[in-house]
Amino acid sequence: ETGVTQSPTHLIKTRGQQVTLRCSSQSGHNTVSWYQQALGQGPQFIFQYYREEENGRGNFPPRFSGLQFPNYSSELNVNALELDDSALYLCASSLDYYNEQFFGPGTRLTVL
Amino acid sequence: QQQVKQSPQSLIVQKGGISIINCAYENTAFDYFPWYQQFPGKGPALLIAIRPDVSEKKEGRFTISFNKSAKQFSLHIMDSQPGDSATYFCAASRNTGKLIFGQGTTLQVKP
């Protein structure tokens, strides 16, 4: 059984650019949650997708947006990148929205 | 009310000792309390989780103690090993949805 995978592993962007991060959920899981983890901090919830619909959002501005596809993989898009967006972006999948969340390895985003 | 406060920030334990990490929450609607272990450059891995209907849960060397009235829960790692050296995060949520994480505890187990 394949776990949660994320791509790319690392990414370097400049301020003002846009970025798309991708996540493949664990087999059989229909829920994907995205988190931002700044260096030395705990992960912070961005939003959750359940069966292709947004199912909750954290305290992040609208320039953070997402999608979930029919195969339950997901994308996180960030527009107008700011220096403070530099972080590890984590994707977690769960069997259903009320089940345990299993995290992928993350994408390290650096904004210069 | 959404915060989860974790302590200590860092911890050094001798091999074979007991590591104890504490967390406190405010929101009484929380009903799911997991602990995650994270190694450098990796995503968090679910270690053990508890719901408020029990006061203790044990899985191998890892035990969660839960005090509902005090709104506190803790992770105990028995017989700590150098391979346990990692950052540990407590979290809380309602219905296992949006996880609210603590700030993390960096554990170093000395051989």
Side-chain angles (χ1 to χ4, degrees), chain A residues 60-100:
Chain A
F60 280 81
R63 59 190 185 85
F64 285 78
S65 63
L67 275 176
Q68 188 178 32
F69 300 100
N71 66 354
Y72 302 132
S73 66
S74 177
E75 282 183 357
L76 163 66
N77 299 290
V78 187
N79 293 322
L81 283 167
E82 300 177 1
L83 298 179
D84 284 349
D85 295 334
S86 295
L88 181 68
Y89 287 85
L90 295 162
C91 163
S93 78
S94 49
L95 197 60
D96 253 306
Y97 66 88
Y98 49 84
N99 288 106
E100 298 152 327

Short mmCIF file of all heavy atoms in Angstrom, two decimals, chain A residues 60-100:
data_model
loop_
_atom_site.label_atom_id
_atom_site.label_comp_id
_atom_site.label_asym_id
_atom_site.label_seq_id
_atom_site.Cartn_x
_atom_site.Cartn_y
_atom_site.Cartn_z
N PHE A 60 -5.90 31.41 6.83
CA PHE A 60 -4.98 31.74 5.73
C PHE A 60 -5.72 32.61 4.71
O PHE A 60 -6.91 32.42 4.50
CB PHE A 60 -4.45 30.46 5.06
CG PHE A 60 -3.33 29.82 5.84
CD1 PHE A 60 -3.59 29.01 6.93
CD2 PHE A 60 -2.01 30.04 5.47
CE1 PHE A 60 -2.56 28.44 7.66
CE2 PHE A 60 -0.97 29.47 6.20
CZ PHE A 60 -1.26 28.68 7.29
N PRO A 61 -5.00 33.55 4.06
CA PRO A 61 -5.66 34.46 3.11
C PRO A 61 -6.12 33.72 1.86
O PRO A 61 -5.67 32.60 1.58
CB PRO A 61 -4.55 35.48 2.79
CG PRO A 61 -3.28 34.76 3.09
CD PRO A 61 -3.57 33.83 4.22
N PRO A 62 -7.02 34.35 1.08
CA PRO A 62 -7.58 33.71 -0.12
C PRO A 62 -6.55 33.37 -1.19
O PRO A 62 -6.84 32.56 -2.08
CB PRO A 62 -8.57 34.78 -0.65
CG PRO A 62 -8.88 35.62 0.52
CD PRO A 62 -7.66 35.64 1.38
N ARG A 63 -5.34 33.95 -1.12
CA ARG A 63 -4.34 33.60 -2.13
C ARG A 63 -3.85 32.16 -1.94
O ARG A 63 -3.15 31.62 -2.81
CB ARG A 63 -3.18 34.60 -2.12
CG ARG A 63 -2.46 34.70 -0.81
CD ARG A 63 -1.47 35.90 -0.82
NE ARG A 63 -0.70 35.91 0.42
CZ ARG A 63 0.39 35.19 0.57
NH1 ARG A 63 0.85 34.45 -0.43
NH2 ARG A 63 1.04 35.22 1.73
N PHE A 64 -4.24 31.52 -0.84
CA PHE A 64 -4.03 30.08 -0.66
C PHE A 64 -5.31 29.39 -1.12
O PHE A 64 -6.39 29.60 -0.54
CB PHE A 64 -3.76 29.73 0.80
CG PHE A 64 -2.39 30.10 1.29
CD1 PHE A 64 -2.08 31.41 1.62
CD2 PHE A 64 -1.40 29.14 1.42
CE1 PHE A 64 -0.81 31.76 2.07
CE2 PHE A 64 -0.13 29.47 1.88
CZ PHE A 64 0.16 30.78 2.20
N SER A 65 -5.21 28.59 -2.17
CA SER A 65 -6.39 27.90 -2.66
C SER A 65 -6.04 26.46 -2.98
O SER A 65 -4.86 26.10 -3.08
CB SER A 65 -6.94 28.60 -3.91
OG SER A 65 -5.99 28.55 -4.96
N GLY A 66 -7.08 25.66 -3.15
CA GLY A 66 -6.81 24.24 -3.38
C GLY A 66 -7.83 23.60 -4.28
O GLY A 66 -8.83 24.21 -4.68
N LEU A 67 -7.53 22.35 -4.59
CA LEU A 67 -8.41 21.54 -5.42
C LEU A 67 -8.27 20.10 -4.96
O LEU A 67 -7.19 19.68 -4.53
CB LEU A 67 -7.97 21.58 -6.88
CG LEU A 67 -8.42 22.70 -7.80
CD1 LEU A 67 -7.75 22.54 -9.15
CD2 LEU A 67 -9.93 22.70 -7.94
N GLN A 68 -9.34 19.33 -5.11
CA GLN A 68 -9.22 17.88 -4.99
C GLN A 68 -9.84 17.26 -6.22
O GLN A 68 -10.92 17.66 -6.66
CB GLN A 68 -9.89 17.36 -3.72
CG GLN A 68 -9.60 15.88 -3.47
CD GLN A 68 -10.21 15.35 -2.19
OE1 GLN A 68 -11.27 15.78 -1.77
NE2 GLN A 68 -9.55 14.38 -1.57
N PHE A 69 -9.17 16.30 -6.77
CA PHE A 69 -9.59 15.67 -8.01
C PHE A 69 -10.39 14.41 -7.74
O PHE A 69 -10.39 13.90 -6.62
CB PHE A 69 -8.34 15.37 -8.85
CG PHE A 69 -7.56 16.60 -9.20
CD1 PHE A 69 -6.42 16.95 -8.49
CD2 PHE A 69 -7.97 17.45 -10.23
CE1 PHE A 69 -5.71 18.10 -8.78
CE2 PHE A 69 -7.26 18.60 -10.53
CZ PHE A 69 -6.14 18.92 -9.81
N PRO A 70 -11.08 13.88 -8.79
CA PRO A 70 -11.91 12.68 -8.60
C PRO A 70 -11.14 11.47 -8.04
O PRO A 70 -11.73 10.61 -7.39
CB PRO A 70 -12.45 12.39 -10.00
CG PRO A 70 -12.50 13.73 -10.64
CD PRO A 70 -11.30 14.48 -10.11
N ASN A 71 -9.83 11.41 -8.28
CA ASN A 71 -9.05 10.30 -7.70
C ASN A 71 -8.56 10.65 -6.30
O ASN A 71 -7.76 9.91 -5.71
CB ASN A 71 -7.86 9.94 -8.60
CG ASN A 71 -6.82 11.05 -8.67
OD1 ASN A 71 -7.02 12.14 -8.14
ND2 ASN A 71 -5.72 10.77 -9.34
N TYR A 72 -9.02 11.78 -5.76
CA TYR A 72 -8.74 12.27 -4.41
C TYR A 72 -7.33 12.82 -4.22
O TYR A 72 -6.98 13.19 -3.09
CB TYR A 72 -9.07 11.22 -3.33
CG TYR A 72 -10.52 10.78 -3.38
CD1 TYR A 72 -10.86 9.44 -3.37
CD2 TYR A 72 -11.54 11.73 -3.47
CE1 TYR A 72 -12.20 9.05 -3.43
CE2 TYR A 72 -12.87 11.35 -3.54
CZ TYR A 72 -13.20 9.99 -3.52
OH TYR A 72 -14.51 9.61 -3.58
N SER A 73 -6.56 12.91 -5.28
CA SER A 73 -5.31 13.66 -5.17
C SER A 73 -5.66 15.14 -5.04
O SER A 73 -6.81 15.54 -5.28
CB SER A 73 -4.41 13.41 -6.38
OG SER A 73 -5.01 13.94 -7.54
N SER A 74 -4.68 15.94 -4.66
CA SER A 74 -5.01 17.33 -4.36
C SER A 74 -3.88 18.27 -4.76
O SER A 74 -2.72 17.85 -4.90
CB SER A 74 -5.28 17.47 -2.86
OG SER A 74 -5.54 18.81 -2.49
N GLU A 75 -4.22 19.52 -4.97
CA GLU A 75 -3.26 20.58 -5.24
C GLU A 75 -3.46 21.71 -4.25
O GLU A 75 -4.59 22.01 -3.85
CB GLU A 75 -3.48 21.16 -6.65
CG GLU A 75 -2.94 20.33 -7.77
CD GLU A 75 -3.13 21.01 -9.13
OE1 GLU A 75 -3.74 22.10 -9.18
OE2 GLU A 75 -2.68 20.43 -10.12
N LEU A 76 -2.33 22.33 -3.89
CA LEU A 76 -2.35 23.57 -3.12
C LEU A 76 -1.72 24.64 -4.00
O LEU A 76 -0.62 24.45 -4.51
CB LEU A 76 -1.55 23.41 -1.83
CG LEU A 76 -1.14 24.69 -1.10
CD1 LEU A 76 -2.36 25.42 -0.56
CD2 LEU A 76 -0.19 24.37 0.06
N ASN A 77 -2.44 25.72 -4.23
CA ASN A 77 -1.94 26.84 -5.01
C ASN A 77 -1.75 28.06 -4.12
O ASN A 77 -2.62 28.36 -3.30
CB ASN A 77 -2.93 27.19 -6.13
CG ASN A 77 -3.15 26.03 -7.08
OD1 ASN A 77 -2.27 25.67 -7.83
ND2 ASN A 77 -4.32 25.43 -7.00
N VAL A 78 -0.62 28.70 -4.29
CA VAL A 78 -0.37 29.94 -3.55
C VAL A 78 0.00 31.02 -4.56
O VAL A 78 0.96 30.86 -5.33
CB VAL A 78 0.76 29.79 -2.51
CG1 VAL A 78 0.85 31.05 -1.65
CG2 VAL A 78 0.52 28.57 -1.63
N ASN A 79 -0.78 32.09 -4.59
CA ASN A 79 -0.52 33.23 -5.49
C ASN A 79 0.23 34.32 -4.75
O ASN A 79 0.23 34.38 -3.51
CB ASN A 79 -1.85 33.79 -6.00
CG ASN A 79 -2.57 32.81 -6.91
OD1 ASN A 79 -1.93 32.11 -7.69
ND2 ASN A 79 -3.87 32.75 -6.78
N ALA A 80 0.85 35.20 -5.53
CA ALA A 80 1.51 36.39 -4.97
C ALA A 80 2.37 36.03 -3.76
O ALA A 80 2.17 36.53 -2.66
CB ALA A 80 0.47 37.44 -4.60
N LEU A 81 3.33 35.14 -3.98
CA LEU A 81 4.15 34.63 -2.89
C LEU A 81 4.83 35.74 -2.10
O LEU A 81 5.31 36.74 -2.67
CB LEU A 81 5.21 33.68 -3.44
CG LEU A 81 4.70 32.28 -3.81
CD1 LEU A 81 5.75 31.54 -4.64
CD2 LEU A 81 4.34 31.49 -2.56
N GLU A 82 4.85 35.55 -0.77
CA GLU A 82 5.54 36.46 0.13
C GLU A 82 6.68 35.71 0.82
O GLU A 82 6.68 34.47 0.88
CB GLU A 82 4.55 37.00 1.17
CG GLU A 82 3.39 37.75 0.57
CD GLU A 82 2.37 38.21 1.59
OE1 GLU A 82 2.59 37.95 2.80
OE2 GLU A 82 1.37 38.84 1.20
N LEU A 83 7.64 36.46 1.35
CA LEU A 83 8.79 35.84 1.99
C LEU A 83 8.35 34.90 3.13
O LEU A 83 8.92 33.82 3.33
CB LEU A 83 9.75 36.91 2.54
CG LEU A 83 10.38 37.83 1.51
CD1 LEU A 83 11.28 38.86 2.19
CD2 LEU A 83 11.16 37.05 0.46
N ASP A 84 7.30 35.31 3.87
CA ASP A 84 6.81 34.52 4.99
C ASP A 84 6.14 33.21 4.58
O ASP A 84 5.81 32.39 5.44
CB ASP A 84 5.81 35.33 5.82
CG ASP A 84 6.51 36.36 6.70
OD1 ASP A 84 7.76 36.28 6.79
OD2 ASP A 84 5.84 37.22 7.28
N ASP A 85 5.93 33.02 3.29
CA ASP A 85 5.36 31.75 2.81
C ASP A 85 6.41 30.65 2.78
O ASP A 85 6.07 29.48 2.55
CB ASP A 85 4.76 31.93 1.41
CG ASP A 85 3.58 32.88 1.39
OD1 ASP A 85 2.91 33.01 2.44
OD2 ASP A 85 3.33 33.49 0.33
N SER A 86 7.67 31.00 3.01
CA SER A 86 8.72 29.99 3.06
C SER A 86 8.44 29.04 4.23
O SER A 86 8.34 29.48 5.38
CB SER A 86 10.09 30.65 3.26
OG SER A 86 10.44 31.43 2.15
N ALA A 87 8.29 27.76 3.92
CA ALA A 87 7.90 26.79 4.94
C ALA A 87 7.90 25.40 4.34
O ALA A 87 8.10 25.22 3.14
CB ALA A 87 6.50 27.11 5.49
N LEU A 88 7.64 24.41 5.20
CA LEU A 88 7.39 23.04 4.75
C LEU A 88 5.88 22.88 4.63
O LEU A 88 5.14 23.15 5.59
CB LEU A 88 7.95 22.05 5.77
CG LEU A 88 7.79 20.56 5.45
CD1 LEU A 88 8.65 20.17 4.24
CD2 LEU A 88 8.16 19.70 6.66
N TYR A 89 5.42 22.50 3.44
CA TYR A 89 3.99 22.31 3.23
C TYR A 89 3.68 20.83 3.28
O TYR A 89 4.22 20.03 2.51
CB TYR A 89 3.56 22.95 1.91
CG TYR A 89 3.55 24.45 2.03
CD1 TYR A 89 4.72 25.18 1.82
CD2 TYR A 89 2.40 25.13 2.41
CE1 TYR A 89 4.73 26.57 1.98
CE2 TYR A 89 2.40 26.51 2.57
CZ TYR A 89 3.58 27.21 2.36
OH TYR A 89 3.59 28.58 2.53
N LEU A 90 2.81 20.48 4.20
CA LEU A 90 2.48 19.09 4.46
C LEU A 90 1.07 18.76 4.00
O LEU A 90 0.14 19.54 4.20
CB LEU A 90 2.59 18.81 5.97
CG LEU A 90 3.99 18.94 6.57
CD1 LEU A 90 3.90 19.09 8.08
CD2 LEU A 90 4.83 17.73 6.21
N CYS A 91 0.95 17.60 3.44
CA CYS A 91 -0.34 17.08 3.03
C CYS A 91 -0.62 15.86 3.91
O CYS A 91 0.29 15.06 4.16
CB CYS A 91 -0.27 16.72 1.55
SG CYS A 91 -1.56 15.64 0.96
N ALA A 92 -1.84 15.71 4.36
CA ALA A 92 -2.22 14.54 5.14
C ALA A 92 -3.48 13.95 4.54
O ALA A 92 -4.39 14.69 4.15
CB ALA A 92 -2.46 14.91 6.60
N SER A 93 -3.55 12.62 4.46
CA SER A 93 -4.77 12.02 3.96
C SER A 93 -5.40 11.16 5.06
O SER A 93 -4.73 10.70 5.98
CB SER A 93 -4.52 11.20 2.69
OG SER A 93 -3.95 9.93 2.97
N SER A 94 -6.71 10.98 4.95
CA SER A 94 -7.43 10.14 5.90
C SER A 94 -8.53 9.40 5.18
O SER A 94 -9.00 9.82 4.11
CB SER A 94 -7.98 10.97 7.07
OG SER A 94 -8.66 12.12 6.62
N LEU A 95 -8.91 8.28 5.76
CA LEU A 95 -9.92 7.40 5.15
C LEU A 95 -11.22 8.17 4.92
O LEU A 95 -11.87 8.03 3.89
CB LEU A 95 -10.15 6.22 6.08
CG LEU A 95 -10.84 4.99 5.50
CD1 LEU A 95 -10.04 4.41 4.35
CD2 LEU A 95 -11.02 3.94 6.60
N ASP A 96 -11.59 8.95 5.89
CA ASP A 96 -12.74 9.84 5.82
C ASP A 96 -12.38 11.07 6.66
O ASP A 96 -11.37 11.05 7.37
CB ASP A 96 -14.00 9.17 6.39
CG ASP A 96 -14.97 8.78 5.30
OD1 ASP A 96 -15.33 9.69 4.51
OD2 ASP A 96 -15.36 7.61 5.22
N TYR A 97 -13.20 12.12 6.64
CA TYR A 97 -12.81 13.37 7.30
C TYR A 97 -12.72 13.22 8.82
O TYR A 97 -12.10 14.03 9.49
CB TYR A 97 -13.77 14.51 6.94
CG TYR A 97 -15.19 14.34 7.46
CD1 TYR A 97 -15.54 14.79 8.72
CD2 TYR A 97 -16.15 13.72 6.68
CE1 TYR A 97 -16.82 14.62 9.19
CE2 TYR A 97 -17.43 13.54 7.14
CZ TYR A 97 -17.77 14.00 8.40
OH TYR A 97 -19.04 13.83 8.86
N TYR A 98 -13.32 12.15 9.37
CA TYR A 98 -13.31 11.96 10.82
C TYR A 98 -12.31 10.89 11.26
O TYR A 98 -12.34 10.43 12.39
CB TYR A 98 -14.72 11.61 11.32
CG TYR A 98 -15.37 10.49 10.53
CD1 TYR A 98 -15.12 9.16 10.82
CD2 TYR A 98 -16.24 10.79 9.48
CE1 TYR A 98 -15.70 8.16 10.09
CE2 TYR A 98 -16.82 9.79 8.74
CZ TYR A 98 -16.57 8.47 9.04
OH TYR A 98 -17.15 7.48 8.31
N ASN A 99 -11.44 10.46 10.34
CA ASN A 99 -10.44 9.43 10.66
C ASN A 99 -9.05 10.05 10.86
O ASN A 99 -8.83 11.22 10.56
CB ASN A 99 -10.39 8.37 9.57
CG ASN A 99 -11.60 7.46 9.58
OD1 ASN A 99 -12.46 7.57 8.72
ND2 ASN A 99 -11.68 6.59 10.56
N GLU A 100 -8.13 9.21 11.34
CA GLU A 100 -6.76 9.64 11.60
C GLU A 100 -6.11 10.15 10.33
O GLU A 100 -6.35 9.64 9.23
CB GLU A 100 -5.95 8.47 12.14
CG GLU A 100 -6.47 7.93 13.45
CD GLU A 100 -6.16 6.46 13.63
OE1 GLU A 100 -6.12 5.73 12.63
OE2 GLU A 100 -5.93 6.07 14.77
#
